[in-house]
Structures are given as structure tokens and as C-alpha cells.
Amino acid sequence: MLRAPHRNIRHRLSPPRLGWKERDRHGIDPRRPVQVVVLAFAISIAAGTSLLLLPMASTDGTTVLQAFFTAVSAICVTGLIVVDTPTHWSVFGQVVIMALIQVGGFGVMTLASVLTLAVSRQLGLHSRLVTTASTRGVQLGEIRGVLVRVFWTTVAVELAVTAILALRWSLGYGETPGRALWLGLFHSISAFNNAGFALFSDSLMPFTADGWIVLPIAGAFLLGGLGFPVLIELYRQHRRPRRWSPQTKLTLLATAVLIPAGTAFVLATEWANPATLGPMNVAEKTLAAFFQGVTPRTAGFNSLEIGEMNTGTWLGMDVLMLIGGGSGGTAGGIKMATVALLGFVIWSELRGDQDVTVFRRRASARNIREAVTVALLAIGAVAGSTLVVALSSPFSLDEILFEVVSAFATVGLSTGITAELSGPHQLLLCALMFLGRLGPITLGTALAMRERKQAFRYPETTMVIG
């Protein structure tokens, strides 16, 4: 008499297991969005590779590895290349690359926004997370609103930058209207999505001192790098900064610190370098240093010759690339909010504070653990990959580290050795780009969503640190 109610209670309290009927034909558990995300990106990469292998996509033929590497770099909005984009790829191939960049960037922003909305309400993810929401408060209309805002923000920024660039290339450089519009559209999409692909063999080096070219591009990738959650909150609450969330404040604080810091760093280390800033006047040096100081955290454009920079500059740019941009945007890295939160952790520990306080809010222990986990796993991936390449390639450790960090942080800057790496090493960079693009988002979501209650806790212990 007593057992039946007991079993009914357990059944009501325990989440039902998915049977084979509740899984799709690929065997994917619909309550695990990471599988869906990885599969979607993998399908996009396969489709892009197939299109780039078509004879009409290139001018002199393409190998499978070249097509695959380019597709991964484009869909992961990185910008590393093994063949010259303007000379190797035909107009059709360039259109495919641009489409992959747009799909990758929009997909990441949409995914991050939806997952952020879900995590903020402590949702469990069910079968239709990508297009709808689950059982605890998020309705389809909210997700649809998020997608619409992401779409129109993307369109507005890209069209505005396209117009500015097209006018400049047409009026200032004598390009035909059609060619100027194509250049403007391609570089606008590449910039806002933080991809770094360019239709010039030397990226933006011909326009180092042209503010009408480099400043709109910098503005586009800085906006894309802030992240959609920050952009929409700034739009809604631009007159009430006191109501900004700690996430927005952290991102803006880190941006306000890193932009002048990156500019000053490049100015200081490259001021007298005859191959970079040396021959320029003060105004040109400042503009070039600004652009080259902000692009490592977000996009892979370069207006200076990266391979001719000092090794100390490379190391500083490694740090900027690893920091990356804002959460929920098109930039890579471990994200500014993660680094800023870890900075508050260090500051609180040095002060002896019991809690980590961020703008009059106590950071949760779970958030701190997530930040530490993401940062340490990123450092481990970079260190391990650097070691593998260093043991089996003729390049210097500085060059290898720069390349590995650029791939993992989905930046796309290079000292010029990408195409010279062996096939296995290029595949390793592909894996790093894929991991760097999806890793922080999916790992952060997985950590936030899989918190489980324990019926007991072990006794506390103290260890000697340091």
C-alpha cells in the first residue's frame, strides 16, 4: 500500500529520460544544445568546403586542405589564410567566403544571445532551444525578438560601413562604383563579424594613414566585439547608466582600458622600428598604433607588417588576442568580462575581502569557478598546441605562439607562417579555431546549466598556497 505512492513521487520528482523516439534521427539529445551547435557549424564548414572546391571558386585550382582551412577560418570568423584571398579565389569564391563569414558571425551572435537569455533564467535546454525556449518562463516571442534585434543591428552597421567605404574607394582611389561597392560590402561584413579577411594581398597596409578606411572598419569590429547583449542594453538604457548590468559595466570598463593601453603599447614598442612606425609622422603613427592596438582583441586586419614587428610587440599582442572581446559578440578570446572578473577576484583577495564585489554586486562562487575554468582551459589549449608545433616545425617559438594564439582567439593575425606550416599543423590550427569559436560559449553555457544539488558536503580543508 505504501510503495506505489513512493514510486509515483519519485517519478514526479525525477526528470524523464529521453527514449529513442524523443531523439532525432542523428541520435542527438535535444536537451543538449552543445551537440546541436557543433553539428550546425560542422555542416556549415562541410558545405563551405564543397563550394570552395568547385572549379569556378578559384583561379588556379584548390586542394581539399586549402578549401577546408579557408571554410573553417571563415565560418569561425578568424581570418587566417593559406592562400591569398584576392588572387587565388574568384569572385564566386570570395562571395562564398563572405557568406560563410556572415553565417558564422550571425550564428554566433544569435546563439550567444539565446543561450545568455536561457542561462539568465536558469533554464533547462530542451529540444527546440535554438528556435524556441523551454518550460520556465522564456516564450517564443522573446527568442524571436532577440533574433530580430540581432539581424537588424547587423544589417544597420554593415550597410552604414559599406556606404562609407564604398564612397571612399570610389572618390579617393578611383575605383568603379561596382568595384567600390563590392570592396565596401566585403570589408564591412568581414569587419563587423570580426573575421579579418581582406581583398588586398597586404590587408589594409595600403591605407595605414587613411582614416576614412581604417576608422570605419575599426568602429565596425569594435561594435561587433562588444557583444549584442551590451549593445542592446546601451540602446535601451543609454540615458540611465546607473541601471546598466555589471556585465555591461565590466565590458565597457575593460574596453575603455584596453583601447588606450593597446594604442600606447604599439606606439612605445614600434615607434622607432623602420619597418613599421619609424618613417611616419606623429599623426600617422598614432592612427596606425590605434588600429593595430585594437585589432588583436577582435579582428585580423593589419595596417602594419606583422612579420616585421619586434618580438616584444608580438608578446603583447598575444595577451590582447587571448583577452578578446565581449561576451555574446563576434570577437574571440576568453572574453573581457572573464578577465575583468578574475581581476576583481585578485583585487579582493589582496585586500582580504570575504566576497568578490563587482560594482556593488557580490560575484557568485559559481561565476568565479566558471571564469577560472575557461581561462585555465584556454591557457592549456594554447600551451599544448604551441608545444606540439614547436617540437615538429622549424619556426621560432615567438612565431608559433603568435600563430596558435591567433587561431584559438579567432583573431586571424599572422607573422606570415600559416601557409608554410605542414598539413597536420594547419589541421591543428583548424581545430583551435573551431574550439576557440565555440568553446567559450558552449563551455560557459554547459557549466552554467549543469549545476546539480548535492545531499551532502565534505568537511572543509585548507591548503598552503604559494
Side-chain angles (χ1 to χ4, degrees), residues 109 112-113 116 226-234 245 247-248 327-329:
M109 291 188 73
S113 300
T116 299
L226 281 177
F228 178 76
V230 172
L231 292 178
I232 196 63
E233 185 167 0
L234 291 177
S245 66
Q247 176 83 26
T248 295
S327 302

Side-chain angles (χ1 to χ4, degrees), residues 58 70 97 288 303 354 453:
S58 62
T70 304
I97 292 172
S303 61
Q354 183 177 359
K453 301 296 183 181

